[in-house]
Amino acid sequence: MAEIQEPPVYALLVDGTTVRIRCAGPDDQDAVRHFYEQMSPDNLRLRFFSASRTSARHAAERVARRPRPGYRALAAEHEGTLVGLAEYEALPDITAAEVSLAVDDAWHHRGVGTLLLEHLADAARTAGITAFRADALAENHEVLKVFTDLGLHVDRHWDGPEVHCTVELASDEHYLSVVDTRAGLADVASLRPLLRPRSVAVVGAGRKPGSVGRAVLRNLHTGSFTGRLFAVHPEAVTILGIRACHTVADLPLVPDLAVIAVPASAVPHVAEECGELGVRALCVVSAGLDAAAATALMETCRRHGMRLTGPNCLGLANTEPDVQLDATFAARHPGPGTAGVAVQSGGVGIALLDGLHRLGIGVSTFVSLGEKYDVSGNDLLQWWESDERTDLALLHLESFGNPRAFSRTARRVARTMPVLTVDAGRSTSGRRAAASHSAAAATRTMTRQALFTQAGVTATRTIGELLDTAALLHSQPLPTGSNVAIVSNAGGAAVLAADACEEAGLTVPALGTNLVDQLLSELPAGASATNPVDTTPVVNEDQLRSVVERLAAHGAVDAVLVLLVPTAVTSATGDDLPRALVRVGAPLPRPVVAVLPAQAARVGLLQGTVPAYSEAQDAARALSYAASRARWLARQPDSYPELTGIDTRAAHTIVDAFVADHPEGGWLDPRTAAALLDQYRIPQIPWAWARDEDEAVVAAERLAGADGRVVMKAHWPGLLHKSEQRALHLDLRGSQQVRAAHRDLETRFGDLMTGVVIQPLADRGTELFAGIVQDEVFGPLIVFGAGGTATELLADHSARLAPLGDRDVHDLITSPRCAPLLFGYAGAPTAELDGLELLLHRLSRMACDLPQVAEADLNPVLAGPHGNAALDVRIRIEPRQAHDPYLRRLR
């Protein structure tokens, strides 16, 4: 497999410094020679086993040779200066390569070598190299530790003063976890100047009220920012009593953070001034940057190592006592607390901040991402994971830069705190509006939902639902299941609450006799307690509290919903009954929520402890989201089975050959498609290719089952839907019918037809669909559900992002509406589920191995008690290179 010359990328070191990783070549000879010549003698000796300066010249000459197969050199640069170099050269006749690594003396212990090796290993895997080999002096503890700490399997062999290392390049879960840790440390370090700045300058703070920059400066000032604060204005000396400088260069110190609120056309120039001064982070609230300005802004930020939030954003805030940063132009300061908030839309950010304020839920950090050129939701999740304050994450994301990395991070963070989002852009018009608003690609609903489901992200439909759910998760324990007890002083309202629970996917079970008797003994005469529990209007506070405590402590239900209407029987206002809910004794083991139809607000928190909703539907949906989170947390982490018999190299050969003959891509013919599936041991029904009538007869005689029946399917390039074209014949018996069928197809399709596929008539079973879709942003998606000719009409499919774990496969199989058929519903033949799971795992592996597979349809897959097999296969190939979504790099 040939090496691919990747374009330069930027990435973060463990201390948050940005470096540029690029291929080194002939133009770098002088830089490489200088890099080695200025090394200390000890460093030079450890690298070359000799302190001779001639080694520098030879090393520079090696890098400067023409690009050649089997060789790759990667350079790490900081502000144009070479600080690290890693090389590999393939060994003859094997899939291993010799690797070397060197880092400038001043850049040791900052992760340069590790970062270079990660990128070099990725390039080597793409080129078909499976292992690195390296020789090091036994005293070179630093480079030996670099190899050991990579996270890959390393064998070391001591040979006198030398150590021979072999690094296996196969990436596994352990390696990805180690990379996650490194990425998290680097990311958090890079965000400190943005979220914990010691000094801030507002560039574009106006002298007159009404300007965005002035509003940001005012909020920083009145919010009691603990660091140094400056304004930049071409004429003013002070603004709002704060010292103003005429230019960025005139600032008396280098601020950690610059907030830029100037006209869009001036943003690139101001950003360059900030970079030259040494500013570490930018928050660009300005909107309306054109493509040229956007490119210039990003190039400046990367070149100078500045992290960026925005443009077109509301700003950011951190309520930590030793920071107290409010660099937003919101109407009020966010209150301190433990909710982390990140939004793309400033309007949504204001709505969330206002909603959290009404609930009394404070904010740890708030970041308006705007058009999300750089800092993303993934960055904020890693920040919240490490800040030791945040216990609730709220996200509003209209687009994803690296959704697979986001999914991996979210899956980890969601184990420690609830991660909530608004599923924006569910409709076609919504996706169009999101793309227009955020200048980013819109995402299909099924793909986005798969991402959220697998990552454990609670995806609500509206901002209101998000706040409803946040109130519950912030104040109450999680339910352990979906059974709900309803308690109400109004029977008719209780019926509506029961309907709302059922519609939200919850269950309102009948209560056991003993529990009913216990409840009735505590309630007024005339009460009923079968569930819903009708307390009657005359119930008092003590009785209500006792009933709620008993239900919440009993194992018969997982949550208690209390619906109360004010009556003159209990008090003039009815306030005494809701008070009963906050006057319970010890914390209850199960969540309790209130529904107060007379409440003006959609949702509130009674004394900060019990969520209260004005509508039963809102309470039920919040409980349903909480129950879904509890189920996700209760699941064991996914495991990934070992798949045997896969020939990845042969699969690549098939795809590469097709792309070489079809540079624009296209649909594989039946023989090539079947051969590709064979490399992954994906089961197919026996078949044969026939070019003419006589070959069709011979194939039919060979493949006919015990009853002698076969199927004939026509083929020509571009044929997608055989049933619609009536390009097939079923239930053919004997050579006469086979000949007649072939003549019919020839008559109707003529020279268009290139041949026919002959198959035995399949046994009875459930027709399913299994397929691959390569999403341009999200990567491979596995789709599964009802198959056959009506698959598109029924649209009964579920989807998960590859690679699939065992839990993902279980969800795929059980989620579609047709799933009961696989378990024998209505007399359907029970499917062989182990084989079906294995088929999906193998399909997932193919999707991950071969990004060139743009789409693959196995339809139908016939599932029965004796196995599963694809009856028809379509695979479309596009020229596309593999892209590791977990390789550390900035967008």
Side-chain angles (χ1 to χ4, degrees):
M1 207 176 301
E3 282 92 352
I4 305 299
Q5 297 292 318
E6 296 287 351
V9 298
Y10 289 89
L12 297 171
L13 302 180
V14 291
D15 62 358
T17 302
T18 301
V19 294
R20 184 173 184 246
I21 306 294
R22 63 171 180 81
C23 291
D27 294 339
D28 295 297
Q29 182 169 358
D30 292 341
V32 172
R33 185 175 63 250
H34 176 73
F35 169 73
Y36 282 119
E37 286 176 344
Q38 54 84 41
M39 268 187 185
S40 66
D42 279 348
N43 198 8
L44 201 64
R45 181 178 60 82
L46 293 174
R47 165 63 182 87
F48 294 111
F49 295 21
S50 165
S52 170
R53 294 292 172 179
T54 60
S55 300
R57 178 170 53 82
H58 293 319
E61 290 172 352
R62 182 175 60 252
V63 173
R65 293 176 199 155
R66 288 176 175 270
R68 54 203 180 276
Y71 176 80
R72 176 67 65 92
L74 293 181
E77 293 178 325
H78 180 256
E79 296 186 349
T81 299
L82 185 64
V83 298
L85 184 70
E87 306 167 73
Y88 75 68
E89 185 136 25
L91 295 168
D93 303 323
I94 59 175
T95 59
E98 290 279 2
V99 66
S100 63
L101 177 67
V103 176
D104 184 277
D105 293 66
W107 287 78
H108 284 197
H109 309 296
R110 299 176 68 176
V112 175
T114 300
L115 182 63
L116 278 169
L117 285 177
E118 287 179 19
H119 281 258
L120 197 67
D122 178 69
R125 292 187 198 101
T126 302
I129 293 170
T130 60
F132 281 158
R133 293 184 181 177
D135 296 332
L137 292 174
E139 62 183 284
N140 195 350
H141 304 295
E142 291 184 1
V143 78
L144 293 174
K145 181 174 172 55
V146 167
F147 285 127
T148 301
D149 291 349
L150 267 177
L152 298 169
H153 179 74
V154 180
D155 286 325
R156 295 192 292 181
H157 173 65
W158 273 260
D159 181 12
E162 298 182 15
V163 181
H164 306 297
C165 299
T166 299
V167 182
E168 302 295 337
L169 299 185
S171 174
D172 57 14
E173 180 59 29
H174 171 70
Y175 174 70
L176 293 179
S177 295
V178 172
V179 173
D180 286 344
T181 300
R182 288 194 286 260
L185 291 172
D187 209 30
V188 169
S190 75
L191 292 176
R192 288 194 185 103
L194 183 73
L195 296 175
R196 287 183 185 148
R198 294 163 298 180
S199 52
V200 177
V202 180
V203 185
R207 289 184 293 183
K208 297 180 180 179
S211 77
V212 170
R214 183 184 178 91
V216 172
L217 187 67
R218 182 184 63 246
N219 278 351
L220 280 163
H221 182 51
T222 60
S224 303
F225 174 54
T226 59
R228 301 283 300 276
L229 181 59
F230 303 95
V232 176
H233 188 280
E235 299 175 358
V237 177
T238 63
I239 300 174
L240 297 174
I242 298 161
R243 178 180 175 181
C245 300
H246 292 170
T247 68
V248 170
D250 293 334
L251 288 167
L253 54 79
V254 179
D256 287 335
L257 169 65
V259 181
I260 299 180
V262 300
S265 59
V267 167
H269 174 70
V270 172
E272 181 63 36
E273 286 186 316
C274 291
E276 290 176 355
L277 189 65
V279 174
R280 296 290 306 281
L282 301 181
C283 174
V284 179
V285 299
S286 308
L289 275 70
D290 59 22
T295 300
L297 173 61
M298 278 308 303
E299 196 279 330
T300 295
C301 287
R302 292 291 177 254
R303 181 160 37 84
H304 292 292
M306 297 184 290
R307 296 307 305 267
L308 165 70
T309 183
N312 189 19
C313 72
L314 179 65
L316 51 90
N318 184 345
T319 65
E320 290 180 40
D322 57 348
V323 180
Q324 297 187 54
L325 172 78
D326 182 6
T328 73
F329 53 94
R332 64 163 62 94
H333 299 298
T338 59
V341 182
V343 298
Q344 277 192 256
S345 164
V348 171
I350 291 172
L352 284 179
L353 290 176
D354 286 347
L356 293 172
H357 175 78
R358 289 194 301 271
L359 290 169
I361 299 176
V363 171
S364 59
T365 44
F366 167 83
V367 179
S368 174
L369 302 169
E371 296 187 25
K372 210 171 62 170
Y373 284 10
D374 177 26
V375 174
S376 66
N378 197 36
D379 296 301
L380 271 301
L381 285 175
Q382 294 182 96
W383 177 269
W384 295 328
E385 183 182 26
S386 68
D387 72 357
E388 299 182 352
R389 295 181 69 226
T390 304
D391 61 15
L392 177 66
L394 307 180
L395 298 170
H396 168 258
L397 302 174
E398 295 172 345
S399 63
F400 293 88
N402 188 344
R404 301 175 78 77
F406 171 85
S407 175
R408 188 170 177 83
T409 301
R411 192 180 302 215
R412 185 181 70 248
V413 175
R415 290 275 169 194
T416 64
M417 69 180 75
V419 179
L420 280 67
T421 189
V422 180
D423 189 7
R426 296 187 306 276
S427 65
T428 301
S429 56
R431 289 192 296 274
R432 185 172 61 248
S436 172
H437 173 68
S438 61
T443 306
R444 294 193 311 166
T445 300
M446 179 179 286
T447 310
R448 197 174 51 250
Q449 289 175 347
L451 169 70
F452 293 146
T453 299
Q454 288 173 270
V457 174
T458 301
T460 66
R461 299 176 301 173
T462 65
I463 295 173
E465 283 189 4
L466 185 144
L467 291 169
D468 294 341
T469 309
L472 173 58
L473 296 178
H474 175 76
S475 61
Q476 293 288 309
L478 286 173
T480 54
S482 300
N483 291 331
V484 179
I486 297 172
V487 180
S488 179
N489 65 346
V495 173
L496 296 177
D499 290 342
C501 286
E502 296 281 355
E503 290 165 358
L506 304 170
T507 303
V508 184
L511 303 179
T513 303
N514 290 339
L515 179 57
V516 169
D517 291 342
Q518 293 169 11
L519 295 173
L520 290 177
S521 69
E522 298 169 339
L523 289 171
S528 65
T530 55
N531 200 17
V533 177
D534 184 352
T535 66
T536 78
V538 299
V539 68
N540 62 41
E541 179 181 340
D542 290 337
Q543 291 170 326
L544 179 63
R545 183 173 66 247
S546 179
V547 166
V548 171
E549 287 177 343
R550 185 175 296 278
L551 284 168
H554 199 281
V557 296
D558 305 301
V560 181
L561 186 153
V562 184
L563 191 153
L564 300 172
V565 297
T567 69
V569 177
T570 51
S571 72
T573 63
D575 289 343
D576 55 340
L577 291 183
R579 280 200 302 268
L581 303 181
V582 298
R583 291 180 178 175
V584 296
L588 298 175
R590 293 173 179 82
V592 175
V593 302
V595 176
L596 307 177
Q599 176 179 279
R602 172 183 173 125
V603 60
L605 282 173
L606 302 177
Q607 296 187 19
T609 60
V610 178
Y613 306 88
S614 61
E615 294 283 350
Q617 289 87 345
D618 297 337
R621 280 193 292 267
L623 281 171
S624 179
Y625 286 129
S628 295
R629 170 163 172 75
R631 286 193 299 273
W632 185 83
L633 286 172
R635 293 168 47 144
Q636 293 297 316
D638 271 302
S639 61
Y640 299 85
E642 291 289 334
L643 301 176
T644 60
I646 291 177
D647 193 338
T648 305
R649 184 175 291 274
H652 277 289
T653 299
I654 291 171
V655 171
D656 290 346
F658 181 84
V659 172
D661 292 337
H662 306 81
E664 301 301 318
W667 293 93
L668 298 183
D669 63 70
R671 290 169 292 181
T672 309
L676 187 59
L677 293 189
D678 283 342
Q679 308 315 313
Y680 290 89
R681 298 298 184 264
I682 295 173
Q684 305 170 69
I685 194 170
W687 65 278
W689 175 255
R691 293 169 296 180
D692 55 34
E693 180 181 319
D694 291 334
E695 287 187 2
V697 170
V698 172
E701 291 174 349
R702 178 168 57 86
L703 293 173
D707 57 4
R709 296 185 295 175
V710 296
V711 174
M712 181 183 295
K713 301 175 181 179
H715 175 76
W716 61 84
L719 174 62
L720 299 181
H721 300 289
K722 299 180 184 68
S723 296
E724 292 179 6
Q725 298 283 340
R726 294 187 299 117
L728 75 166
H729 284 281
L730 306 175
D731 200 13
L732 302 176
R733 297 172 183 264
S735 61
Q736 186 173 354
Q737 289 189 5
V738 171
R739 290 185 184 279
H742 193 278
R743 290 168 186 169
D744 171 68
L745 296 176
E746 275 192 323
T747 299
R748 288 192 288 121
F749 303 118
D751 293 339
L752 183 65
M753 189 174 74
T754 56
V756 297
V757 172
I758 305 295
Q759 297 172 335
L761 188 67
D763 294 334
R764 182 167 173 259
T766 300
E767 290 191 343
L768 302 170
F769 174 93
I772 297 170
V773 176
Q774 286 281 354
D775 188 280
E776 288 292 338
V777 176
F778 282 66
L781 187 78
I782 306 301
V783 183
F784 176 82
T789 56
T791 184
E792 295 179 3
L793 176 65
L794 296 175
D796 179 21
H797 301 127
S798 59
R800 293 293 183 271
L801 295 172
L804 299 180
D806 54 351
R807 305 288 179 179
D808 296 326
V809 167
H810 176 270
D811 289 346
L812 269 179
I813 291 175
T814 57
S815 294
R817 297 187 304 276
C818 68
L821 295 173
L822 303 177
F823 299 89
Y825 176 79
T830 303
E832 199 271 293
L833 295 177
D834 289 344
L836 191 57
E837 291 175 355
L838 190 58
L839 183 151
L840 291 173
H841 278 298
R842 292 180 178 277
L843 195 65
S844 167
R845 174 68 180 273
M846 186 174 84
C848 292
D849 285 349
L850 303 172
Q852 302 94 332
V853 177
E855 55 182 303
D857 293 355
L858 280 60
N859 182 33
V861 171
L862 195 67
H866 303 299
N868 312 277
L871 305 191
D872 204 37
V873 179
R874 296 186 304 153
I875 298 176
R876 184 169 64 85
I877 301 297
E878 286 185 354
R880 186 180 291 161
Q881 294 301 326
H883 172 82
D884 183 358
Y886 310 119
L887 184 64
R888 288 195 288 154
R889 56 191 155 203
L890 293 168
R891 293 194 298 158

